[in-house]
Amino acid sequence: MIPLYYNTRSLWARRLSTGLTVVGLGLVVFVFAAVLMLANGIESALASGGDPRNVVLLNEGSTSELMSTVERGALRALGSATQVASSVEGDPLVAGELVVPVLLPRPDGKESNVNARGIGPQSFAIRPVVRLIAGRPPRVGTNEIALGEALVGRSPGARLGGELRFAEQRWPVVGVFSAGGGAYESELWVDVNRLGPAFDRPGLSSIVVRTGSVQARDAFIQAVDGDPRFTLDAKPEPEYWAEQATWLATFIRVLGLFVSFIFSVGAVLGAMITMYAQVSARITELGMLRAVGYRRRSVLASILIESAVLGAAGGVLGALGALATRWMEIRTLNFQTFAEVRFGFTPTPSIVVAALVFGTLMGTLGGMLPALRASRLSILDALRA
Amino acid sequence: MTFGRLVWKDLLRNPLRLGLTVLAGAVGVMAFIFLRTVVDLFYVGATAAQADRLFTRSKASITEDLPLSYMPRIAAVPGVSDITFYGFFGGRYGESQKDFFGSAFVDPPSFMKVFDEVAVPPEQVAAFSADPCGALIGKDLAARYGWKVGERVTLKGTIYPGDWTFTVRGIYDVRSGGMDTATFFFGFRCLNEKMPENQRDRVGAFMLRVEDPSRSALVSSTVDAMFANSPYPTRTESERAATLGFISMLSAIITAVQVVSTVILLIILLVIGNTLAMSVRERTRDLATLRAMGFKSGRVVMLVLFESLVIGLASAVLGVLIAPPLINVFIAAVGSQMGGGIPKDFMRESTLLFGALAALGVSLLAGAIPAMRAVRISVAEGLRKVA
């Protein structure tokens, strides 16, 4: 084995070229990791709002609350199911909710679609993750709004004590809530009995039920599916929200990985150029190594290791760069919920590992041919060069 | 030896490296063009939008319906020549995400008038208008499922519950513009008659044609003023403005794609710059010899810059050649997942040209530092140097 020291010294000897190659590889790894983090971010942003004990019921065949219409009559019948948990006051934790996308002006003069959720008296109790961080909950029978944290400042009047205007009515903001980073944070909550009439919607979009435990949830879902009275699809809340993320996450993943793949071809070529140059500049050196007794495969391994180190350095650089995007947040329209969502770059250990492996792999691939060439040199020719 | 020949000889000094550099550059150019095309895709609807077509929807929310009774009142507004309506149906065919396509109900005769870029054989138009549950489908959609005229297709309603069976009466193509050829249109009557009394005669939006596009702002405000104090106030804007408003909600994604395409230019810069830096370093002695022979510094700089320009040009040409087939592969792979609504002429010549020019610019930039290095070193020192 040729000592590693030799390789690191060689890389250092040509700092400029090594540096440029590492930055190039790093950029590719950066895009790769950032894309995965983003797709992960949107999924976890939407899914983290769901509580495993909660069940979302939509009209049969509907894929999202936006498209679903549920009769109010089912509310009472569902509330009497044994699996449903009770509030402190003894009321069943069931809420009939209505989701309507509302156009709100943005400070930049454009508009964004925000989901207004008409809530029932138990809506807050059903979702422990939703906590008021300022103000108070909206009172029943008024136009008062509780604003998701992500919406604060997104529209003129979107702040505690402010006032929004939509459906030709005024909606004062009396509270701001957080939801553990989940999708609810991009919603505004208001009494369902005020939202419905404002939009001339007698029905509901969904019914949300809190069950006593995960086992009770599964039993509840089974009971609903088997009950001929209901034409409802019941789903665990996290599952429902995870489905709402599929389109956007798939789009980001497919586009991003496609681009990363094209990029990586370019980066492998870049690494190859560098390693060929390294080999051709060191022919005499390599001949010397062979002359003092190192075998062909040691030379091969040495050059491969060198390019792998190059790639790994790029991987580290790219992964660090991607991790630095954590403070950024992105807001865009989610086609499935038809409303704006806020999400960030969410790293996981496996993404970081994948980025490092990706970088190292690109370096190794780039070094393959140059290493082969180096190992094939005849000692005599090499020394004479 | 002429200057051109000198550049040529220098380039071919290390043909392998030259080949790899050009290839890497071409990959970058291709990726750049690809991403610019993705951005274009978002805007394709907006650029194709007709100037004389207005779009009236509920002011409160995009999912809010409007009463059909508004139609004659809007049609009576001076300047409005034609009017039609549509409604998003959102039916599902099959269970998987891949089987998703746009579906909407329309009023066949007026729809064909307002959307005159939709091309359908006249006998199919007649059949589509005559059958209350007739469907008019885009040719891409027909090709995807092998549907023919006369075929019965059942969609599962997501907004409108139940199974809905339609008979394909026509297959449309689009003469010009950005309208997609993968939508499923069907007659409004079919849906309306099956709705409960209180949900009947509701439509998603009205589309109107104005006689004089320069007066469309006036028409819009007249329409909106008419319904301002009704239970369903409207918002009327040009098709283009409506599409751009929608795109602005997606701006974060578009920005991200634009950022990545800039990163690509950086990568091209690094690859070409790296190659040139290497070759200049190896040729320090040659370049010093040239200068000793009386070549001016400017000439040496030109020499290196010319090399980078040739590399950039070759990359650009190669990239422009391979980008279109690659983009087609991508569209074929994900097109159906994106709802299939990708029109044929999504690839723009201007994007190809822009990609090529960007590559040339970046390659010149990449040559600048190595060129400076080539002349900064003193002749004596350069001559003494052993590569």
Side-chain angles (χ1 to χ4, degrees), chain A residues 21 267-277 363 365-370, chain B residues 20:
Chain A
T21 314
V268 166
L269 290 170
M272 208 183 278
I273 294 167
T274 309
M275 290 315 292
Y276 265 126
L365 276 177
M368 212 83 98
L369 292 176
Chain B
L20 291 175

Side-chain angles (χ1 to χ4, degrees), chain A residues 17-37:
Chain A
S17 157
T18 303
L20 288 175
T21 314
V22 167
V23 172
L25 287 166
L27 281 172
V28 177
V29 173
F30 169 77
V31 171
F32 173 79
V35 158
L36 290 182
M37 280 165 57

Side-chain angles (χ1 to χ4, degrees), chain A residues 62 101 111 113 199-200 263 338, chain B residues 61-62 64 158 232 235 264:
Chain A
S62 294
E111 289 173 312
N113 248 321
F199 286 91
D200 195 28
F263 270 27
F338 233 81
Chain B
S61 164
I62 26 172
E64 191 74 349
T158 54
Y232 310 103
R235 159 108 147 241
I264 298 185

Side-chain angles (χ1 to χ4, degrees), chain B residues 97-160:
Chain B
Q97 280 278 329
K98 273 194 120 157
D99 280 329
F100 176 81
F101 48 78
S103 50
F105 60 79
V106 296
D107 171 49
S110 62
F111 173 78
M112 296 307 300
K113 243 196 228 164
V114 174
F115 288 85
D116 54 3
E117 72 264 40
V118 173
V120 191
E123 68 277 8
Q124 292 187 2
V125 175
F128 175 47
S129 306
D131 181 356
C133 287
L136 179 69
I137 62 174
K139 71 173 170 37
D140 283 354
L141 193 61
R144 194 192 318 168
Y145 292 105
W147 288 336
K148 293 188 177 54
V149 172
E151 187 117 9
R152 288 172 74 78
V153 176
T154 301
L155 300 186
K156 207 176 194 49
T158 54
I159 304 175
Y160 304 92

Side-chain angles (χ1 to χ4, degrees), chain B residues 167-344:
Chain B
T167 312
V168 176
R169 294 296 179 196
I171 294 173
Y172 73 87
D173 197 352
V174 175
R175 285 197 196 91
S176 64
M179 194 166 148
D180 73 70
T181 48
T183 303
F184 191 102
F185 294 107
F186 64 87
F188 173 60
R189 268 190 291 164
C190 189
L191 182 94
N192 201 37
E193 280 161 15
K194 286 182 200 142
M195 292 316 280
E197 192 76 49
N198 62 345
Q199 289 172 42
R200 248 178 236 172
D201 295 333
R202 316 277 303 176
V203 302
F206 295 101
M207 270 82 67
L208 31 147
R209 268 218 126 98
V210 288
E211 282 151 9
D212 179 4
S214 63
R215 289 172 47 118
S216 52
L218 184 69
V219 173
S220 299
S221 54
T222 313
V223 171
D224 290 346
M226 201 154 67
F227 303 113
N229 291 312
S230 78
Y232 310 103
T234 60
R235 159 108 147 241
T236 305
E237 52 195 352
S238 75
E239 201 174 80
R240 188 178 157 77
T243 322
L244 283 178
F246 186 71
I247 294 168
S248 83
M249 297 181 198
L250 290 166
S251 58
I253 294 188
I254 297 173
T255 311
V257 175
Q258 277 164 340
V259 167
V260 173
S261 62
T262 315
V263 170
I264 298 185
L265 290 183
L266 276 177
I267 294 179
I268 306 179
L269 191 77
L270 287 175
V271 169
I272 297 180
N274 193 10
T275 306
L276 287 171
M278 280 179 200
S279 96
V280 165
R281 190 172 42 226
E282 286 166 14
R283 282 183 296 158
T284 308
R285 229 162 73 150
D286 304 12
L287 293 172
T289 312
L290 284 180
R291 281 167 63 206
M293 279 160 60
F295 271 67
K296 294 249 163 53
S297 299
R299 202 85 173 140
V300 175
V301 170
M302 285 285 281
L303 189 70
V304 178
L305 284 184
F306 245 84
E307 277 185 53
S308 63
L309 200 61
V310 171
I311 295 176
L313 193 66
S315 306
V317 168
L318 205 60
V320 165
L321 285 179
I322 37 183
L326 188 93
I327 290 169
N328 283 333
V329 168
F330 176 79
I331 298 294
V334 301
S336 61
Q337 277 192 342
M338 295 170 70
I342 294 171
K344 272 279 154 297

Side-chain angles (χ1 to χ4, degrees), chain A residues 198-287:
Chain A
F199 286 91
D200 195 28
R201 295 276 181 86
L204 299 168
S205 302
S206 61
I207 294 176
V208 185
V209 171
R210 184 160 182 81
T211 59
S213 65
V214 173
Q215 290 76 22
R217 175 198 76 192
D218 293 337
F220 177 78
I221 291 175
Q222 235 170 11
V224 170
D225 285 345
D227 194 326
R229 280 181 301 167
F230 305 122
T231 48
L232 297 171
D233 275 340
K235 258 179 214 152
E237 201 182 25
E239 193 182 308
Y240 169 77
W241 281 110
E243 279 173 16
Q244 302 304 308
T246 47
W247 198 95
L248 202 52
T250 308
F251 176 78
I252 292 173
R253 271 213 186 96
V254 169
L255 182 65
L257 292 183
F258 191 75
V259 168
S260 298
F261 173 72
I262 302 177
F263 270 27
S264 65
V265 175
V268 166
L269 290 170
M272 208 183 278
I273 294 167
T274 309
M275 290 315 292
Y276 265 126
Q278 295 273 24
V279 168
S280 62
R282 296 201 318 244
I283 288 183
T284 326
E285 258 171 66
L286 294 169

Side-chain angles (χ1 to χ4, degrees), chain A residues 119-316:
Chain A
I119 57 166
Q122 304 296 344
S123 285
F124 274 98
I126 284 174
R127 302 183 181 88
V129 68
V130 174
R131 285 183 305 110
L132 277 171
I133 51 172
R136 54 178 178 80
R139 270 174 304 174
V140 172
T142 68
N143 273 12
E144 290 172 352
I145 283 181
L147 202 62
E149 205 188 0
L151 294 179
V152 175
R154 282 296 277 171
S155 184
R159 61 190 155 75
L160 191 64
E163 187 182 77
L164 298 177
R165 288 193 66 110
F166 55 85
E168 309 296 291
Q169 295 183 24
R170 294 161 182 278
W171 307 81
V173 179
V174 298
V176 176
F177 62 85
S178 73
Y184 297 124
E185 281 181 5
S186 306
E187 292 182 346
L188 47 93
W189 285 18
V190 55
D191 183 6
V192 66
N193 293 319
R194 302 292 302 179
L195 189 69
F199 286 91
D200 195 28
R201 295 276 181 86
L204 299 168
S205 302
S206 61
I207 294 176
V208 185
V209 171
R210 184 160 182 81
T211 59
S213 65
V214 173
Q215 290 76 22
R217 175 198 76 192
D218 293 337
F220 177 78
I221 291 175
Q222 235 170 11
V224 170
D225 285 345
D227 194 326
R229 280 181 301 167
F230 305 122
T231 48
L232 297 171
D233 275 340
K235 258 179 214 152
E237 201 182 25
E239 193 182 308
Y240 169 77
W241 281 110
E243 279 173 16
Q244 302 304 308
T246 47
W247 198 95
L248 202 52
T250 308
F251 176 78
I252 292 173
R253 271 213 186 96
V254 169
L255 182 65
L257 292 183
F258 191 75
V259 168
S260 298
F261 173 72
I262 302 177
F263 270 27
S264 65
V265 175
V268 166
L269 290 170
M272 208 183 278
I273 294 167
T274 309
M275 290 315 292
Y276 265 126
Q278 295 273 24
V279 168
S280 62
R282 296 201 318 244
I283 288 183
T284 326
E285 258 171 66
L286 294 169
M288 202 87 85
L289 288 171
R290 293 285 316 283
V292 299
Y294 284 107
R295 294 167 153 246
R296 280 180 195 278
R297 67 174 108 94
S298 298
V299 173
L300 183 87
S302 175
I303 300 293
L304 266 186
I305 287 170
E306 192 170 318
S307 60
V309 168
L310 201 65
V316 170

